[in-house]
Amino acid sequence: LLVFIGAGTFLIWDRINPIQGDLAPPPPPAAAQLPVSVFSESEIQKVRLSLQDADPGVRWAAIQLLFNIRDPQIGPVVERLLTEDPDAEVRLKIVALFRGQEGLARLGPLVRGLSDIDQTVRLASLQALGDIGDPSVSTWVTALLRDVEPDVRIEALRTLGRFQDKRKADFKALAEKLRKDYEEAVRLAAARR
């Protein structure tokens, strides 16, 4: 008897209180807020001061941190360090940091690396510029064809060749797009007749 009373009570309760699945879904959450910076301005200033440390490891760690948190002042700081840092290894790492990064803001430090006193930095800058493939820096790359180091001259030629290959590929893609657009226009014109 208790089982029947319990089942009857459940059925009545179920009809009075429908399951939540029948209701409309809840509204979407409010737009996410932009993440708050982990570092205060005074802490970022302390990291910037670490760029003047005597230890190259400390300077490199500070550069990485400022680059990763996208410090708005990192561009001029890195360009200065690329030309003035006494350690060639730090300069080489700065070039590697910009390797493959497109954009005009990234080209400046790499172009500055082309005039470095250390051959490995010049080579790394050439390779990074070749990876980016922006022919707007051809003038600076061409200037290295008169470099005293044969390896730098060879890499400058390779980089100029990569620029040319990229231009050919861009031209080929543009020609293909124009051909397809023309064929589509002809097809649409024929369909209208």
Side-chain angles (χ1 to χ4, degrees):
L1 183 64
L2 288 174
V3 172
F4 288 118
I5 294 174
T9 306
F10 175 75
L11 290 174
I12 294 171
W13 181 81
D14 190 40
R15 287 203 185 256
I16 295 173
N17 299 317
I19 298 175
Q20 292 293 333
D22 295 340
L23 299 176
Q33 298 291 328
L34 291 175
V36 178
S37 178
V38 177
F39 299 101
S40 68
E41 186 59 37
S42 64
E43 291 170 327
I44 292 174
Q45 188 59 34
K46 289 177 186 175
V47 173
R48 288 180 192 137
L49 288 174
S50 297
L51 295 170
Q52 300 169 1
D53 196 274
D55 183 5
V58 172
R59 291 193 307 271
W60 172 240
I63 292 167
Q64 284 181 305
L65 179 61
L66 292 172
F67 189 82
N68 288 336
I69 64 172
R70 292 183 174 88
D71 180 23
Q73 297 179 10
I74 191 67
V77 168
V78 168
E79 285 188 47
R80 181 182 55 78
L81 286 173
L82 191 55
T83 56
E84 298 175 7
D85 197 276
D87 191 320
E89 192 65 30
V90 171
R91 296 190 311 270
L92 191 59
K93 288 177 181 179
I94 290 171
V95 169
L97 191 66
F98 287 103
R99 188 176 191 139
Q101 304 274 334
E102 293 196 29
L104 293 176
R106 308 293 189 209
L107 292 176
L110 294 175
V111 169
R112 291 203 192 285
L114 295 177
S115 60
D116 196 275
I117 194 166
D118 190 83
Q119 171 187 347
T120 58
V121 176
R122 291 193 309 274
L123 287 169
S125 295
L126 283 168
Q127 292 165 352
L129 288 169
D131 288 348
I132 294 172
D134 188 338
S136 66
V137 296
S138 296
T139 304
W140 292 281
V141 174
T142 304
L144 287 180
L145 293 175
R146 294 184 298 267
D147 195 273
V148 293
E149 297 293 333
D151 292 340
V152 174
R153 292 192 305 265
I154 291 169
E155 191 59 40
L157 285 170
R158 283 188 188 132
T159 302
L160 290 170
R162 290 171 75 185
F163 291 165
Q164 187 65 27
D165 292 344
K166 184 173 185 329
R167 277 192 165 171
K168 283 181 184 176
D170 290 347
F171 179 77
K172 188 175 182 179
L174 178 62
E176 183 64 25
K177 181 186 179 317
L178 290 173
R179 185 187 61 76
K180 286 181 180 180
D181 289 348
Y182 174 76
E183 289 173 355
E184 181 67 19
V186 168
R187 188 185 64 75
L188 288 175
R192 287 185 194 150
R193 291 185 193 181

